[in-house]
Amino acid sequence: MTFLSAAMLAGIFAFNIPLIIHLFNRSKFKVVRWGAMHLLDSVVRKNTRRIKLEQILLLMVRAMIPVALALAMAGPVATSLRAISADTPSGLVVMLDASFSMMAGEGESSHFELAQREARRLIEALPRGSTATVLLIGHQTVALTDRPTTDLARLLDRLDAAEPTHTAAQMVPAIEYGLEVASRLPHARRDVVLLSDFQMVDWPTGMEDSLSRLTAPYRDSATAPRLSLIPVGGPIRENLAVMDKQLSSGVAAVGRPMRVEVAVRNFGLDRSAPVRGDILIDGQRRSGIRFDAMEPGELRTSVSESPLIFTEEEVGHRLIEVTIDADRLWADNAWLGSVEVVGRIPVLLVEGRRLGEFGQGASDYLYDLLQPFAAAGEGRERDLFVVDRVPMGDLRTVDLSRYRVVVICDGPAPAAEWLERLTAWVREGGGLLLFPGEQMLAQREQWNAMLLEGDVPLLPARIDGASTATGDDEPLASVLVESYQHAALRLFNDPARGDLSVLRAWKWLNLRPDREGDATISSPGRTIARFADGQPFLVERAVGEGRVMLSAVSADTGWSSMPIRRIFLPLVQQLVADLGATTVSVYRPELGDRIAVAAPGELIGREVEVVFWPLREPGTAAQADDAVRRTVRIEDRQGRGLVPLGVAEVPGVHRIRGPENYSRVVVLNAPRSESDLRRIEPERLVALAEAADGGRYDDSGGFLAASRRQHGREMWVWFLAVAVGLLFIEPWLQQWMVGRRRE
């Protein structure tokens, strides 16, 4: 014998209530002496035994009533009576995999639709009075009803209306929650059935131990919930996914051609057919792309067939979308992003030495390389940058708000009067590029103290002196060729566009980004390019809304051959253009996360406009009419402003615009881990079921046939019947006893 709600057994102690009342009433009598009492002694002696027996019998009946009620409410199950009737109510928790991969399928139905049908069969087969619920598994586990219900018709309606998510499945917390829900169901038989495609990435190595741990607390109970695994669908033969896109330039400039490089992987089991795709800007097709046939597992890149050229009217952030017409798993056939289109970028070039004849200043080469058409006498209108040059001493009088980028070449230690202005300008979105020289090297302690050790560190790394090489016994330093991840350097991943290894340096700063990787620092410095020996060549730090870059070599020929190499022009232009394009922060959270975008504290309480462009099936571009607009108030989180956007549920792009030029972009793409549709082997599925002390079935029919196993017989109805019977017996017995006394 076991009990579904053992806590209710405490009600047995209620039998003391009639006992206490009986004893209390027994003590309440008054002795009255009268003369004829002796005449009744014989009658009293004759009836005393009978009266005591009647009182004991009545007391037992009254005490058994709360005992029977407590036993009925505790849900007794006679485990020795192994057969369970087919019409006995039971409890069922259906766990339905609603992750992104369930949108795939062969034929007319997706795996999610197949799982819905199997779930419907399971629920429809439940006897009357059964309790059931359905849990959708994604990044979070969501129940279709507030609590398990006996209204199975309403549950089926909600099941039919359910949709898969664009998120990855979190199986361990979902199963833990499902077992917990099932353990509270008021039935002897409690089943948890998981319907899934059993994608390999959702069931990593070690899941057997996790399932064993999750089910261990319930194994000692005769009415423990039992986990059953039912796979749906079959192997997917075809699935291509757009993995990433990269721009040929760190910034999209008006009138300058820009190509898009796209990576696609074949996640299918068969060799893919050639596929074509489109590149769209704000929903309008601007170029095409083509991929040849790919072997299973192959990753292939291709470049847009024609360059993208932007106009003055397109200046600002634009939605860029890459789509391919491949297969029914449409959300991974597209990749969303945001590109900032800029006009001419105003740059302030600060000379740390002196302005005079060419070669005397540290910024002479940069001045010509940033505006090559003007230097060649072809007019400044064709140059991307509008360059003004001032000596370091005049920096305190310059209006920095006129410029997007400031480049300082071999500057002396900064004066306090302009350091505060420079820091504020960077934090508001400015880009600062620093080139060293003998003057900066000599005053490195002042640079470290004022720009690294202050309240707002600007330097991306500590300057620890300099290294030199003669080129004879000591080889000159060269830049390491690698796969560059920084947007400003991706251009050089293609050797045809420039080889940074040709640069040679005979003197360079020893840079130590000592805060790099420190989790306690909100914006640590990071190395974006290295010398061949691993020392930093370029380092960067985010400061507020802006960024600071520091080079290890000077911008003139005093330390390296860099200024006279042909590659120096695209390198400098890429760095400056990238810094000039950072006026808007772009966030890329995971689908399923709760999004809250940072905002300046002074904007707390003010409203921003949020425009969301969702990705539309079948991967076509989001049109202007599809945009969802709303107004959101900036919240106060311990003095920091946050724009709450809620849970990210579907792929798309959020654009946030607010007062004082506040602007943010949030890009959401479907998780590419879900594009890998390989399924676990049947043998491992059996091992998972055994680890959970459960079962594995091919379909709902197999589960229903096997569910007629032995669970025990529920006995609460019998105890309730006893309690009701005693309630009728007690007044009848009392009346019968009174009648006998009258006789």
Side-chain angles (χ1 to χ4, degrees):
M1 176 76 73
T2 188
F3 297 92
L4 299 178
S5 301
M8 292 296 179
L9 291 175
I12 291 177
F13 294 100
F15 81 91
N16 290 299
I17 296 175
L19 178 61
I20 293 172
I21 295 174
H22 172 77
L23 295 176
F24 182 74
N25 289 333
R26 182 180 179 185
S27 63
K28 283 189 173 183
F29 61 89
K30 184 177 181 180
V31 177
V32 179
R33 299 187 178 277
W34 58 297
M37 184 66 192
H38 65 282
L39 300 175
L40 299 177
D41 285 344
S42 60
V43 177
V44 171
R45 284 194 298 270
K46 180 179 179 182
N47 294 327
T48 296
R49 183 180 298 275
R50 179 175 59 83
I51 293 173
K52 287 184 177 180
L53 290 175
E54 290 176 352
Q55 289 178 342
I56 292 173
L57 179 60
L58 187 60
L59 177 62
M60 291 177 60
V61 170
R62 289 172 176 172
M64 288 174 61
I65 292 174
V67 172
L69 285 174
L71 290 172
M73 295 175 67
V77 177
T79 54
S80 59
L81 303 176
R82 307 306 295 176
I84 187 168
S85 174
D87 58 355
T88 301
S90 60
L92 175 65
V93 176
V94 178
M95 304 186 65
L96 189 58
D97 186 350
S99 63
F100 171 51
S101 65
M102 293 289 284
M103 295 183 186
E106 297 287 344
E108 297 182 357
S109 300
S110 68
H111 287 170
F112 185 79
E113 292 168 340
L114 295 177
Q116 282 178 303
R117 296 172 194 167
E118 296 289 339
R120 171 174 275 276
R121 294 191 189 103
L122 293 173
I123 296 172
E124 289 177 340
L126 290 173
R128 177 177 296 181
S130 297
T131 305
T133 189
V134 176
L135 306 180
L136 299 182
I137 305 176
H139 186 78
Q140 297 178 336
T141 302
V142 180
L144 294 186
T145 55
D146 295 337
R147 60 182 60 86
T149 180
T150 57
D151 189 352
L152 302 184
R154 181 168 66 96
L155 180 61
L156 289 173
D157 290 340
R158 295 194 177 186
L159 173 64
D160 294 339
E163 296 286 346
T165 70
H166 291 85
T167 64
Q170 303 294 324
M171 285 296 178
V172 171
I175 293 174
E176 183 177 21
Y177 178 58
L179 291 171
E180 180 184 351
V181 171
S183 68
R184 298 195 299 263
L185 296 178
H187 302 286
R189 192 176 80 191
R190 304 163 174 174
D191 285 300
V192 179
V193 180
L194 175 58
L195 298 164
S196 172
D197 58 0
F198 289 94
Q199 189 184 9
M200 191 178 295
V201 295
D202 293 336
W203 301 85
T205 303
M207 278 294 288
E208 288 85 351
D209 294 337
S210 298
L211 289 178
S212 179
R213 174 180 56 82
L214 293 176
T215 56
Y218 305 101
R219 291 180 182 173
D220 294 336
S221 172
T223 58
R226 186 171 189 267
L227 178 63
S228 299
L229 310 179
I230 301 180
V232 295
I236 301 299
R237 311 301 305 182
E238 299 178 356
N239 184 44
L240 297 179
V242 180
M243 302 302 294
D244 195 8
K245 64 103 180 76
Q246 293 185 1
L247 307 180
S248 60
S249 175
V251 61
V254 171
R256 293 192 167 233
M258 182 187 72
R259 291 187 181 270
V260 182
E261 183 179 81
V262 181
V264 171
R265 184 181 294 277
N266 180 12
F267 284 106
L269 301 178
D270 299 333
R271 175 183 171 87
S272 70
V275 64
R276 297 188 62 86
D278 296 317
I279 298 173
L280 307 101
I281 302 296
D282 287 345
Q284 303 299 317
R285 186 181 186 278
R286 299 288 285 271
S287 184
I289 196 165
R290 183 180 184 280
F291 293 89
D292 294 331
M294 287 176 278
E295 298 297 330
E298 182 181 355
L299 177 69
R300 178 165 296 182
T301 60
S302 184
V303 179
S304 55
E305 296 173 339
S306 58
L308 306 180
I309 301 178
F310 297 95
T311 64
E312 290 284 353
E313 291 74 20
E314 294 177 303
V315 170
H317 267 269
R318 299 293 167 186
L319 171 64
I320 181 171
E321 184 178 0
V322 179
T323 65
I324 57 174
D325 185 13
D327 46 69
R328 66 182 303 157
L329 198 60
W330 58 270
D332 69 357
N333 293 341
W335 186 269
L336 297 173
S338 180
V339 58
E340 184 183 11
V341 181
V342 300
R344 303 185 69 194
I345 300 175
V347 178
L348 178 64
L349 194 56
V350 181
E351 174 56 59
R353 300 177 196 163
R354 52 177 294 211
L355 296 177
E357 295 183 4
F358 185 86
Q360 294 180 343
S363 62
D364 292 343
Y365 287 95
L366 290 180
Y367 186 70
D368 288 343
L369 291 175
L370 289 175
Q371 44 187 2
F373 291 103
E378 300 180 16
R380 301 181 63 175
E381 292 76 12
R382 298 179 60 188
D383 288 315
L384 174 60
F385 307 103
V386 180
V387 184
D388 291 335
R389 184 159 63 156
V390 298
M392 192 79 165
D394 293 348
L395 186 59
R396 65 175 63 90
T397 63
V398 174
D399 181 8
L400 295 179
S401 64
R402 295 172 47 202
Y403 301 97
R404 298 276 292 275
V405 182
V406 172
V407 183
I408 300 178
C409 299
D410 194 18
E417 58 265 25
W418 64 262
L419 177 59
E420 184 176 351
R421 293 177 54 240
L422 183 65
T423 301
W425 173 79
V426 172
R427 295 184 67 179
E428 292 175 359
L432 177 62
L433 178 58
L434 301 172
F435 284 98
E438 296 297 336
Q439 193 168 214
M440 177 183 283
L441 178 61
Q443 300 184 27
R444 63 183 180 275
E445 295 302 330
Q446 293 92 319
W447 276 91
N448 288 335
M450 300 190 70
L451 275 76
L452 183 62
E453 299 170 358
D455 295 336
V456 182
L458 287 182
L459 278 183
R462 181 176 297 277
I463 302 174
D464 283 345
S467 297
T468 59
T470 63
D472 298 327
D473 298 332
E474 302 168 313
L476 301 179
S478 61
V479 178
L480 177 67
V481 176
E482 56 182 332
S483 177
Y484 302 109
Q485 301 302 312
H486 195 279
L489 301 178
R490 287 175 182 167
L491 175 72
F492 306 108
N493 288 332
D494 183 359
R497 297 176 180 174
D499 184 2
L500 293 180
S501 66
V502 302
L503 302 178
R504 294 291 184 271
W506 45 87
K507 189 171 186 176
W508 60 93
L509 293 181
N510 296 324
L511 301 178
R512 180 165 58 91
D514 55 338
R515 296 185 176 185
E516 186 172 15
D518 188 346
T520 64
I521 305 300
S522 59
S523 57
R526 65 188 184 111
T527 302
I528 61 176
R530 302 177 183 274
F531 289 114
D533 62 357
Q535 294 190 60
F537 168 57
L538 287 170
V539 289
E540 178 190 57
R541 182 193 299 278
V543 181
E545 302 302 318
R547 288 180 294 146
V548 180
M549 288 186 185
L550 173 61
S551 169
V553 298
S554 65
D556 59 10
T557 55
W559 289 16
S560 73
S561 64
M562 185 168 65
I564 60 176
R565 293 288 186 177
R566 183 177 300 177
I567 196 173
F568 190 47
L569 186 150
L571 175 61
V572 168
Q573 293 214 356
Q574 286 290 105
L575 295 177
V576 176
D578 185 71
L579 287 171
T582 56
T583 58
V584 176
S585 297
V586 178
Y587 296 79
R588 294 178 175 83
E590 294 288 336
L591 280 171
D593 291 342
R594 184 172 295 278
I595 308 175
V597 180
E602 54 269 23
L603 297 182
I604 292 174
R606 304 181 69 175
E607 293 183 340
V608 297
E609 181 191 38
V610 180
V611 184
F612 179 63
W613 283 269
L615 179 67
R616 297 296 187 183
E617 188 178 0
T620 54
Q623 303 294 330
D625 293 342
D626 295 332
V628 179
R629 302 177 184 272
R630 58 186 171 129
T631 301
V632 178
R633 188 177 300 277
I634 299 177
E635 297 181 352
D636 184 359
R637 301 288 177 86
Q638 299 180 345
R640 297 173 54 227
L642 286 179
V643 181
L645 299 181
V647 177
E649 296 180 344
V650 297
V653 175
H654 290 272
R655 286 185 187 165
I656 308 171
R657 290 188 176 92
E660 300 183 18
N661 296 321
Y662 174 74
S663 184
R664 296 292 185 274
V665 175
V666 179
V667 178
L668 300 166
N669 282 296
R672 289 321 192 245
S673 61
E674 290 288 304
S675 299
D676 186 356
L677 301 177
R678 291 176 298 170
R679 301 160 67 98
I680 63 177
E681 298 295 331
E683 296 78 10
R684 182 154 185 255
L685 187 57
V686 173
L688 289 169
E690 292 176 350
D693 197 23
R696 183 269 186 200
Y697 306 98
D698 292 332
D699 53 27
S700 58
F703 168 80
L704 293 173
S707 66
R708 300 182 181 90
R709 54 190 174 86
Q710 300 167 346
H711 288 275
R713 184 181 297 278
E714 296 184 23
M715 305 296 294
W716 66 271
V717 175
W718 298 101
F719 284 99
L720 181 61
V722 170
V724 173
L726 291 174
L727 286 173
F728 284 100
I729 291 175
E730 191 272 342
W732 175 84
L733 186 60
Q734 189 174 4
Q735 293 295 325
W736 176 75
M737 292 178 180
V738 171
R740 288 198 58 185
R741 292 172 189 172
R742 289 176 178 175
E743 295 175 359

